[in-house]
Amino acid sequence: MPKVGMEPVRRKALVDAALKTIGHHGSLTVTMSEIARAAGVSPALAHHYFGSKDQLLVETIRSLLRQLRADAVTALATSETPRERISAVLRISFQANQFAPHVVAAWLAFYSEAQRSEEVRRLLVVYARRLHSNLLSGLKPLCGAADAGRIADGAAAMIDGLYIRQSLKAAPLSIDASVALVEDYVAGQLQTAIAARIAPHPTPSPRVGRGKDEG
């Protein structure tokens, strides 16, 4: 019988263990027994709290998303300008507890799982939409909705690509280097978009060679 008051502690331990175990294996082929062993509990207790490995995996993704959201809310609350909001979102995407090798490996495993699990796919769509929305909140005041959407899409694609590159481990980038790459992209795109908006429209040249009826 589980001890009273221990459920939140053990549930968190199982989620943390699932993340580490999946990350170290690089796939979702881990068993509930392996996760339970890493958490220091029995497989029976793991099943008692989560019912199945799939339910534990879903809760692990939700835990990652909750942490990302909480960190983003805190960072955005202290950002005073639109440009600071963009930088805050980028920094959150590469913070140490998300960009650690085993967490990166787990993210990739979850994306693979999304090809067969509708619930996992839905959670990852929530993440993508939230990232896009947070980027738009800083980009729109600077360059307008159309350019903001395009730049947000590009920045999100770069973030995903850097996670994939990190998983290769052959030439991993540091957190600062990863942030700097996306910052450079955003800065360049903003500069181009803003310049296009403020550039004077060319004055039409007088027409020459008018028809004889135009006198």
Side-chain angles (χ1 to χ4, degrees):
M1 178 69 66
K3 294 181 180 178
V4 176
M6 287 299 293
E7 180 173 350
V9 175
R10 285 176 173 161
R11 285 178 67 92
K12 184 180 186 307
L14 282 162
V15 167
D16 291 344
L19 185 61
K20 291 179 181 178
T21 306
I22 293 165
H24 291 152
H25 280 72
S27 74
L28 301 183
T29 58
V30 297
T31 66
M32 197 68 143
S33 294
E34 289 174 304
I35 296 171
R37 188 181 312 118
V41 302
S42 69
L45 195 59
H47 281 286
H48 170 78
Y49 286 133
F50 289 100
S52 69
K53 188 181 80 170
D54 285 348
Q55 291 176 10
L56 175 54
L57 296 181
V58 166
E59 179 56 28
T60 302
I61 299 172
R62 286 177 174 157
S63 176
L64 284 172
L65 295 181
R66 283 195 296 267
Q67 186 62 56
L68 271 175
R69 183 176 185 178
D71 291 342
V73 167
T74 299
L76 291 173
T78 59
S79 301
E80 298 181 355
T81 67
R83 191 64 183 85
E84 287 180 359
R85 290 178 69 86
I86 298 168
S87 294
V89 174
L90 299 182
R91 174 61 64 172
I92 289 300
S93 296
F94 294 103
Q95 62 190 345
N97 63 351
Q98 294 288 340
F99 210 49
H102 75 279
V103 180
V104 171
W107 272 115
L108 293 182
F110 294 142
Y111 270 94
S112 178
E113 178 68 6
Q115 306 308 304
R116 75 167 191 86
S117 169
E118 178 60 26
E119 188 164 14
V120 171
R121 188 198 69 81
R122 182 182 60 80
L123 289 171
L124 294 179
V125 167
V126 168
Y127 156 72
R129 288 176 177 170
R130 190 177 294 162
L131 173 60
H132 192 264
S133 177
N134 286 338
L135 288 168
L136 285 181
S137 71
L139 288 165
K140 275 186 178 181
L142 299 177
C143 63
D147 285 321
R150 175 180 56 78
I151 298 171
D153 285 340
M158 284 193 72
I159 292 170
D160 289 343
L162 287 166
Y163 267 72
I164 293 173
R165 178 171 176 175
Q166 188 75 358
S167 72
L168 299 177
K169 300 179 182 178
L173 293 175
S174 68
I175 290 175
D176 288 341
S178 298
V179 172
L181 277 176
V182 190
E183 284 277 14
D184 286 348
Y185 165 79
V186 170
Q189 292 295 313
L190 277 174
Q191 184 177 15
T192 300
I194 293 171
R197 294 183 71 191
I198 65 176
H201 295 291
T203 303
S205 300
R207 293 178 63 187
V208 296
R210 292 180 177 182
K212 60 182 180 181
D213 292 339
E214 294 180 31

